Structures are given as C-alpha cells and as structure tokens.
Amino acid sequence: MKEGFIPVGEGLPSQWTEGDETITRTTAWSAPGCHNGCGVLLHTDKEGNLTKVEGDPDCPFNEGRLCLRCLAMPQTMNDPHRALYPLKRPRDQRGNPDAWERTTWDDAIDIIVKNMKEIKEKYGAHTFMFNQGTGRDITYYQTYLASAYGSANVLGWQAGESCYLPRISGMAGTLGGFFLTDYSQQFVDRYDNPDWVAPETLVVWGANFLNSNSDGNMGYWTIELMKRGTKLIVIDPRLTWLSAHAEQRLRLRPGTDGALALGLCNYIIENDLYDHDFVDKWTYGFDELKEVCKPYTLEKTAEICWLDPDDIARAARTIATSKPCAMQWGLAVDCNNDEAVPQAHAIQCVFIITGQIDNPGGNFLPVDIQTYEGPGFSTGLLTEEDRNLKIGVDRFPMYKYGSTAASGDAMLECLETGEPYQMHGAWIQSASPLVCCANDPDRVYNAMKDLDFICMIDPYMNATAQALADVFLPVCMFPERNGIALTTGSQRAARMTKVCEPKGESKSDPEIVLEVGKKLCPEHFQWETVEDLFTDFIETTGVTFEELEDLQPIYPPFEYYKHEKGLLRPDGQPGFNTQTGRIEIYSTMFQSMGLDPLPYFEEPVPGPVSDPEKFEKYPYILITGTRRPAFFHSEHRTIPGLRRVNPDPLVEIHPDDAKDLDVHDGEWVWLTNYQGRCKRKVSVSKEALKGVFTADHAWYYPEAGPENLYDVRELNVNNLIPYTTGKSGFGTNMKANLCTIEKFKED
Ligand SMILES: Nc1nc2c(c(=O)[nH]1)N[C@H]1C(S)=C(S)[C@@H](COP(=O)(O)OP(=O)(O)OC[C@H]3O[C@@H](n4cnc5c(=O)[nH]c(N)nc54)[C@H](O)[C@@H]3O)O[C@H]1N2
Ligand SMILES: Nc1nc2c(c(=O)[nH]1)N[C@H]1C(S)=C(S)[C@@H](COP(=O)(O)OP(=O)(O)OC[C@H]3O[C@@H](n4cnc5c(=O)[nH]c(N)nc54)[C@H](O)[C@@H]3O)O[C@H]1N2
Ligand SMILES: [Mo]
C-alpha cells in the first residue's frame, strides 16, 4: 500500500458465519444505480441466496446507514422482471418485442464485434458512439473500450451533459479543480477528527440529498452537522424537510439562481463583508466581479427571484459572517437554465470572496484517487485526430479541452443532418435515453432509429432497448460480482465482493467489456481476468484487488489549505492549479475558449421574462425530476416494496393553483406545453410554491407491457423539455420550463 493511505478494514473480518448464514463485509454499488458505494454486510443463506443487507457500522462513509433501495436488494435480486439471457433481433424488427430470439454469449458478442469492426473499416470508429448513464460502474471500462476501439464519441445523452458537468466545468474554469462540502467524509474518524470543525452555516443550494444522497453525499451527514450546531440556509423553491428545519429558506423562482448569487456577492462586497486577506492573496479578477454584480441590488435581485430584499440581505450577512460556511449544491443548478456554467461560476464566487475554500468545515479540494492512470487506463489511446473527430469539439471548445464527453446537442444535430459526418452505430450501456436521460425523447428516437447497429447492455429490457436494440446483453447485480467502487466524489477505494451466483446468464459490465475487448482489439485487452484489470485500475493505491478484500475501504491522506502548501500545482509552488496560480474569478480558461470570463445571469428560456408569449399560454413554471427515495431514475418500478411508496407519477401543485384550475388531489391530468405532454396524477401540496409545478421523471409502467413500450410515450415528462443548451455546451433547462394542466381525456 502506498504511504499515507489508511486501510479501514485492516483487522476486521471480511467474512464470517452466524448460524446458517454467511456474512460478507463488502461495498454496494451498481447495478442497480447509485451515487455512493456504501459499506454493507451481505447476508447469504446455505443455498447462496441474498437474505438481508445491513449497513456496515465500521465503514466511515455511511456508518451503518443505508437507503431503502439497498435494504430492498433481496427483493430486487429476485425480481422476475430482470433480463437474464442474451437476445438478438433482426434490424428491421426494431420495436417488435416478439422478434427477440435467445442466443448464446458467444454468438451475441460475435455479432457485436462483427458490426463494430465493419463500421470501423467502412466508415471509421468515430461513427460508432457509446452511451453511459449516471452512477453505475461502467464509466472507466466503457470509456476505455471506446478509446481502444478508436472512438471519442462517448456521451450521456442529456442535453448540455447537465448532470454535475456544468458545476464541474464552472469550477475547472476558476479553481482548476473542484471542491466538495466538508462533512468530514475525507477522514476515517469523521466528526472526531481533530483537524475538522462543523460548519457554522451550511448553504443547501438546489439539492435535496435526504432523498437523493447525491454526488457522493449522504443525506444523513447534514443531520449529523445539525446535531453539532450547524445552521442551514436552504435555497429551493419547494418546501423540503431541510428547508422546514432551516434558519432561513429562500424559495426563489426556478432558474434564477445566477441572479441570486450575483445579488449575494454584491451585498457582501458593498457592505465590506468579504474576506480581504483571502481575496488579495488568492484570487484574480475581484474588481471585475465587483462591476458585474453591481446591477444586482437587493431590490433588483428580489424582483428577479421573487424574494424579499431583506431575506437576501440576511442570508448574505449570515454567509459572510459564519466561520466556517459550507455550501452543498445540487442538480437543480445544472439544469434549470441553459446558462448553467456562468450560474455555477456566480454561486462559487459567493464562497470564494468569503474565503471558504479548502478550510476545515468549508469547501475542500478533494484528493481524487480517480485521477489514476493505470496501465492502458487512459484515454491516451486516442490520437489527436480521433479526438478532433469528437462530436461537439468545433462548436463548444470546452468539449475539446476539458470534458472527455461528446456533446449530446451536437450529436443530435449530427444524427439529424449527417454533418459533419454520418453516424452508424451505438453501444448503450446503463443509459435509457427514451425513458430518462434525453430531453425530447421523440426527437432522439427519430435520430437514432436508422443507425446500422445498436446493442444494449442492461439488467432490464427497458423501453429504449425494446425500441432500438438489435442485440441485448443482461447485466448482473452487485452482490453477484466482483468490482471496485470508486464512486462520485469518492475519497476512498472499496471492493465489491461476489457473494451470490448471477441469476440466469447475466454478467457484470467489466466482464462484458473485457470479453468484447479481447475479440475487438486484443492488443489493448491483455488482462486474463477482470480481477487483474481491477488491480491495474487501483494502481495509485499500491494494493491489489486480492489485498483490498482485507483492507477495504482505503482512504488517501488528506490535508487542508493545500494552496498554501504547494500541493495543488504540478510545479509544487503555492497557489491554485490555474494559469495565474490564483482562483480565477476572472477565468482565463473561459476567456481562451471564447466564453465570458466572468459570471453572469441570463433569464431561463423559456420563462415569464424571456418569453412572455409562451408564458401567457403556459403560465406555470415546471420543475421536473425531483428525486424520490424509492427509485433511482427509471429503476425499481417493478419492486413491489418500493413501488408501493410511489405507485404513480405525480405533479405536485399548490392548493391555490389547484383551485384556479379546478383540479383535485388524486385526479389524472395531462401536463402539457408548447412541445408535448405527459400523463400525471395531481398531488395538491403546500410544499409547492404557488405558480410552480413539480413533475416526477423517468416514468413508464412495466405492467403495460412491451407492445406499448410500457406506456413510456405518454408518461415521459421529457416530452415537454426541448433539447437545448447554453453557450458553453453545458447546461439545459429541465427545472424551470413552462407548462399548464388540461383535464384528462383518453384520446
Ligand atoms: N425530466 C428530467 N429528466 C432527467 C433528470 C431530471 O431531473 N429531470 N435527471 C437527469 C439526470 S441528472 C441524469 S444523470 C439522467 C440519468 O439517466 P439514465 O442514467 O439514463 O437513467 P435510467 O433511465 O435509470 O437508465 C439507466 C439504465 O441503466 C440500467 N442500469 C442500472 N445499473 C446498471 C449497471 O450497473 N450496468 C448497466 N449496464 N446498466 C445499469 C437501468 O436498468 C436503466 O435501464 O437522467 C436525466 N433525466
Ligand atoms: N433516490 C434517488 N437518488 C438519486 C437519483 C434518483 O433518481 N433517485 N438520481 C441521482 C442523480 S443522477 C442526481 S444528478 C442526483 C440529483 O439530486 P439533487 O442534486 O438532490 O437534485 P434534485 O432532487 O433534482 O433537486 C433538488 C432540489 O432542487 C430544487 N429545485 C428545483 N428547481 C430549482 C431551482 O431552479 N433552483 C433551486 N435553487 N432549487 C431548485 C427542487 O425543489 C429539489 O428540492 O440524485 C442522485 N440520487
Ligand atoms: Mo444525474
């Protein structure tokens, strides 16, 4: 093990028996999807069935806690809806559920490899794309396969890659890195660590992690902070448990967070509440920020955001005077406005000018063990020419220099126009564009349906696979396979240990990638087994996959104030990893890409201000996709114990709006707008802000059967969301759109 790493599992048993049961200390992670990788104790019976999942009290990350989806794993493993066998279907039968034929793994993989080779030879590897969804253990393996094959076209299919990437890009432009909220998650002794202090104030900005445990942040950590005296400011249009327990809540108009951030900066600067020392020593462009936020007076900001000026002033004072002050942001700020990057930029500035960076109890720069470069595991396999062929690089420079992803927006246009070249194939693994990740799913379906070849790799035969795939490969669940959990914002390497035999003929994603890779481009897939590959994968830790069993999870060493100690820059000098060595409030990176170097706010499009005509016809603002604890996106609808929590897709509306529209709690309606509609059941709730509706996402009815694509076409809320992005190519508007409600009538 490399120096300084801390092996939490050392001395703890990794497996033992209690009565008839075997208990294995391991890590939970995909499939099904999740953002975290919690420590678990998996109970198995004599027949090797999973009987129970408990949180591992010795794992510092989750300290014995688990979400309800993990607790339901025994049900999920035995779900009769799981896909268990490889299937194939003639290309001209796409969409016909009766045309599937069961086949062997060898045959299925041969078909995939033959098609991928043919497409590469005839048209070039770049004409074959790879799609991945969120929070599953495939990112590295799939990206590696794509690079080895020669395609840089790897994408998530969400317009503007609007999950975390707008925030990450915003931070790359200013910090040359990224920060995480300091909940002490980087320490194995957590809240007892002598270097750590609880934040005096935690600003919760567009996130509801009690439901979502998002981006490597366990919801209960906030409760732990509250027990230690932390006060909350919650910025969220809806009333949530967190905002109900907050010192202050700012229930702003969706999509106006950029204006609020600039308003907070302006008040902090005008009232001389900023951290002079930090600003002078470590930032670049403060004077320019002062100018751009000047127009955002309390009155103007309040008017834009539908807030009270006094509330904004009070929040600004609390943020500036709380030592320390942490901020946890969420998905809302990635996808409530096409201009999400300048919005993320503006939000960060509030915490930069108050000096809350890499300080205990503030916002720390993580030691990212994900930035390993194990043998072959780099996208370095791609040539300059391959990378220049990535879709989107010519339109959005950030996709050229920063992100490894291709742009979904540019890809959609490429499929529709054949420019700059014609696409020919797709490998879709852990994503479901027609159900969840894609805005405007009809448009995406029409763009993809004529590709020469499509294969899908998923634990379930989802509607996307039904509609589009020619070959389908079944994926097993996490207790059925070995793996490494290096999850979002992860501060640790942890091991997933196989405790059950896979159901049917399902296999893990790394096994599938390795098998395909060995036949497709054997020179880049020399590993005998996936376990050999895992050892290379965690090379930066100096531990093998075998050794990890007794040591996991292992944590890298951590220090605060790395910018003062020369720990952030490759040249070892103090400062941040940017061109100026300072936090670039005025971003030279954005400037060099032809983007505005300073933060700015633009009205969400469409919206009451940007498009009054549309607003007149669709006078309600639409938030979509607020997370529900029982489901991970489109998953878990077939698990009875979880479905019972949310049997149907809801649209949450305020009682006054329900009265105006003459609709009642429990009534079915069409949620509709200028682009499309979907069916929803009304939930009348005072948690809603008047004038703002919130609709669940990723819905379909498995019970409706494959002939109707599980009713996804009438249930998908993304029918109402156009496929658009901002100037940088990151960000979209899924959480501040426009809509209205019509009485439900069958067509
Ligand atoms: N309206 C609206 N739409 C949204 C959002 C929103 O807030 N509002 N959120 C967006 C966001 S942030 C995201 S990240 C996207 C997510 O979008 P997706 O990642 O496409 O989510 P899912 O539809 O759940 O599709 C994932 C598929 O992966 C499969 N799967 C689960 N685990 C594994 C695994 O380990 N291996 C493999 N091979 N497959 C697996 C599941 O069975 C499912 O069919 O959705 C976006 N869509
Ligand atoms: N159970 C479960 N957990 C999940 C997922 C899941 O599907 N199910 N998905 C995972 C994924 S991929 C992601 S990205 C994360 C997302 O999880 P989070 O980051 O927590 O995001 P959301 O749940 O979409 O929304 C959080 C809050 O934003 C508020 N909001 C909506 N519009 C605005 C706005 O314009 N401004 C502000 N300030 N607030 C707004 C909503 O009211 C909501 O309370 O969750 C992850 N975790
Ligand atoms: Mo996401």
Side-chain angles (χ1 to χ4, degrees):
M1 193 167 47
K2 293 268 168 72
E3 207 187 318
F5 275 82
I6 305 168
V8 174
E10 198 167 38
L12 294 170
S14 51
Q15 198 171 62
W16 63 97
T17 53
E18 277 177 20
D20 282 347
E21 289 201 323
T22 302
I23 298 163
T24 309
R25 200 176 155 271
T26 170
T27 308
W29 195 27
S30 104
C34 116
H35 272 188
N36 294 332
C38 291
V40 285
L41 304 177
L42 298 184
H43 294 235
T44 41
D45 65 16
K46 279 218 162 98
E47 286 73 47
N49 299 309
L50 184 74
T51 54
K52 184 176 163 183
V53 180
E54 280 184 277
D56 176 4
D58 291 314
C59 177
F61 180 78
N62 56 310
E63 303 168 290
R65 269 78 155 193
L66 285 183
C67 76
L68 69 172
R69 298 184 310 285
C70 210
L71 294 168
M73 270 315 283
Q75 270 190 36
T76 305
M77 296 263 296
N78 291 309
D79 180 6
H81 295 81
R82 280 180 63 179
L84 302 179
Y85 304 100
L87 302 172
K88 61 179 177 182
R89 178 171 70 177
R91 179 178 174 278
D92 62 4
Q93 293 297 310
R94 282 182 188 162
N96 177 0
D98 300 325
W100 287 113
E101 184 192 330
R102 188 173 152 186
T103 188
T104 60
W105 273 96
D106 275 348
D107 182 44
I109 288 183
D110 284 345
I111 298 173
I112 293 173
V113 169
K114 180 171 157 279
N115 276 282
M116 289 177 79
K117 278 189 171 161
E118 260 174 37
I119 289 173
K120 182 170 173 169
E121 274 157 27
K122 271 200 201 153
Y123 313 108
H126 56 283
T127 68
F128 192 96
M129 72 171 110
F130 294 79
N131 298 162
Q132 46 186 245
T134 190
R136 284 102 186 184
D137 180 24
I138 53 124
T139 310
Y140 301 106
Y141 309 111
Q142 193 200 89
T143 309
Y144 179 74
L145 177 71
S147 306
Y149 171 67
S151 172
N153 282 322
V154 178
L155 68 151
W157 260 134
Q158 208 180 341
E161 288 290 321
S162 303
C163 174
Y164 213 11
L165 282 178
R167 277 174 283 163
I168 294 279
S169 319
M171 292 188 282
T174 53
L175 292 170
F178 70 106
F179 61 66
L180 295 173
T181 318
D182 191 357
Y183 291 96
S184 76
Q185 67 271 44
Q186 67 278 34
F187 299 120
V188 297
D189 47 358
R190 297 296 310 252
Y191 320 101
D192 296 331
N193 187 283
D195 291 340
W196 182 79
V197 293
E200 190 178 333
T201 297
L202 170 67
V203 182
V204 177
W205 202 316
N208 187 18
F209 30 78
L210 289 189
N211 284 9
S212 62
N213 296 305
S214 48
D215 310 326
N217 165 10
M218 294 295 283
Y220 85 88
W221 295 348
T222 294
I223 316 289
E224 292 295 334
L225 297 196
M226 290 163 82
K227 286 185 200 162
R228 288 163 177 80
T230 302
K231 303 276 186 260
L232 305 186
I233 295 177
V234 177
I235 302 172
D236 193 316
R238 292 170 50 254
L239 184 66
T240 64
W241 188 94
L242 288 172
S243 66
H245 292 79
E247 240 3 53
Q248 219 193 324
R249 41 181 175 272
L250 295 172
R251 299 184 67 180
L252 81 177
R253 166 163 69 96
T256 63
D257 300 72
L260 176 60
L262 293 171
L264 291 169
C265 284
N266 186 50
Y267 185 88
I268 289 167
I269 295 170
E270 292 217 316
N271 290 280
D272 201 15
L273 293 165
Y274 64 95
D275 185 332
H276 286 253
D277 239 27
F278 189 84
V279 164
D280 290 347
K281 227 172 165 173
W282 299 113
T283 70
Y284 175 76
F286 177 75
D287 291 336
E288 288 86 345
L289 174 70
K290 204 167 158 178
E291 287 309 306
V292 293
C293 62
K294 224 174 218 153
Y296 292 88
T297 59
L298 287 181
E299 290 66 31
K300 171 152 180 214
T301 309
E303 189 194 322
I304 295 172
C305 302
W306 296 355
L307 292 169
D308 182 326
D310 292 342
D311 288 341
I312 301 173
R314 199 177 131 215
R317 279 196 175 274
T318 308
I319 291 170
T321 55
S322 294
K323 300 285 177 223
C325 180
M327 186 273 291
Q328 172 68 40
W329 49 7
L331 173 67
V333 300
D334 293 322
C335 61
N336 64 358
N337 194 314
D338 287 353
E339 291 304 327
V341 171
Q343 172 167 275
H345 190 168
I347 295 172
Q348 282 174 70
C349 284
V350 178
F351 302 89
I352 293 168
I353 63 172
T354 50
Q356 300 296 339
I357 304 292
D358 220 18
N359 54 331
N363 306 288
F364 73 92
L365 302 177
V367 177
D368 196 352
I369 43 181
Q370 292 186 25
T371 53
Y372 62 85
E373 287 270 332
F377 257 112
S378 69
T379 44
L381 291 174
L382 292 171
T383 63
E384 178 77 20
E385 195 194 352
D386 296 332
R387 278 197 304 263
N388 284 336
L389 283 167
K390 187 166 78 169
I391 293 292
V393 286
D394 42 355
R395 201 167 131 201
F396 305 115
M398 255 179 165
Y399 283 87
K400 181 161 186 159
Y401 300 106
S403 170
T404 52
S407 152
D409 301 76
M411 180 60 79
L412 188 52
E413 279 180 27
C414 162
L415 287 165
E416 289 173 339
T417 61
E419 294 295 333
Y421 49 79
Q422 194 102 35
M423 292 299 295
H424 291 278
W427 165 294
I428 309 178
Q429 184 181 20
S430 86
S432 192
L434 304 190
V435 184
C436 185
C437 52
N439 310 27
D440 200 347
D442 259 6
R443 203 179 147 196
V444 172
Y445 170 74
N446 285 320
M448 291 193 80
K449 71 177 178 8
D450 297 323
L451 286 173
D452 301 349
F453 177 73
I454 301 178
C455 65
M456 288 234 13
I457 299 146
D458 204 285
Y460 286 87
M461 171 59 72
N462 61 32
T464 305
Q466 268 312 351
L468 288 173
D470 308 320
V471 175
F472 178 88
L473 302 179
V475 171
C476 65
M477 306 238 162
F478 77 81
E480 299 167 329
R481 61 142 178 144
N482 285 333
I484 300 284
L486 271 173
T487 51
T488 321
S490 167
Q491 293 300 296
R492 66 201 184 287
R495 174 174 148 138
M496 282 179 277
T497 301
K498 174 175 169 180
V499 301
C500 306
E501 283 309 311
K503 284 257 164 6
E505 292 181 3
S506 58
K507 294 190 188 192
S508 74
D509 291 292
E511 285 172 305
I512 294 170
V513 167
L514 184 60
E515 277 188 41
V516 171
K518 278 184 176 183
K519 286 189 175 167
L520 185 68
C521 31
E523 66 280 18
H524 298 304
F525 285 85
Q526 306 270 329
W527 301 280
E528 191 78 21
T529 63
V530 284
E531 288 74 19
D532 298 339
L533 180 159
F534 296 151
T535 293
D536 277 355
F537 186 59
I538 51 168
E539 199 201 41
T540 47
T541 63
V543 166
T544 65
F545 180 72
E546 289 312 309
E547 290 163 349
L548 191 59
E549 181 167 18
D550 293 329
L551 302 177
Q552 72 95 18
I554 52 179
Y555 280 60
F558 178 84
E559 286 180 59
Y560 289 111
Y561 301 115
K562 290 179 276 298
H563 52 289
E564 292 180 359
K565 302 170 186 165
L567 296 173
L568 295 175
R569 296 178 56 83
D571 60 13
Q573 292 301 306
F576 291 83
N577 191 18
T578 58
Q579 202 182 320
T580 58
R582 291 160 174 256
I583 298 181
E584 297 189 351
I585 293 173
Y586 183 100
S587 170
T588 57
M589 183 181 120
F590 291 162
Q591 190 182 33
S592 70
M593 292 177 177
L595 297 168
D596 194 326
L598 287 161
Y600 58 89
F601 165 69
E602 274 183 19
E603 276 289 339
V605 178
V609 180
S610 63
D611 197 340
E613 234 170 81
K614 267 199 189 113
F615 185 60
E616 213 180 300
K617 275 181 93 175
Y618 306 103
Y620 298 95
I621 293 176
L622 175 64
I623 299 176
T624 68
T626 295
R627 290 349 183 205
R628 301 276 182 188
F631 304 136
F632 197 83
H633 294 292
S634 68
E635 294 186 84
H636 302 105
R637 301 299 190 289
T638 53
I639 313 304
L642 296 174
R643 180 71 178 275
R644 217 174 295 134
V645 183
N646 290 109
D648 296 305
L650 302 178
V651 56
E652 178 192 274
I653 71 177
H654 189 272
D656 292 352
D657 295 331
K659 210 166 147 209
D660 291 347
L661 288 158
D662 186 31
V663 292
H664 305 274
D665 197 62
E667 179 180 339
W668 283 102
V669 294
W670 284 116
L671 186 68
T672 168
N673 75 1
Y674 55 95
Q675 180 177 287
R677 64 175 194 180
C678 67
K679 229 173 114 177
R680 284 293 177 274
K681 203 178 222 182
V682 172
S683 162
V684 177
S685 166
K686 283 191 178 158
E687 289 169 20
L689 185 64
K690 194 165 149 32
V692 179
F693 295 177
T694 298
D696 292 332
H697 81 306
W699 266 96
Y700 60 99
Y701 282 153
E703 58 274 20
E707 313 73 46
N708 308 314
L709 286 185
Y710 316 103
D711 284 351
V712 70
R713 288 207 165 98
E714 65 175 30
L715 292 170
N716 194 340
V717 76
N718 290 343
N719 295 343
L720 287 83
I721 311 291
Y723 212 109
T724 58
T725 189
K727 297 181 203 51
S728 66
F730 290 99
T732 194
N733 180 1
M734 291 186 142
K735 295 202 193 275
N737 229 285
L738 295 178
C739 69
T740 192
I741 274 176
E742 286 169 11
K743 290 272 177 187
F744 182 75
K745 279 195 290 309
E746 289 288 353
D747 294 325

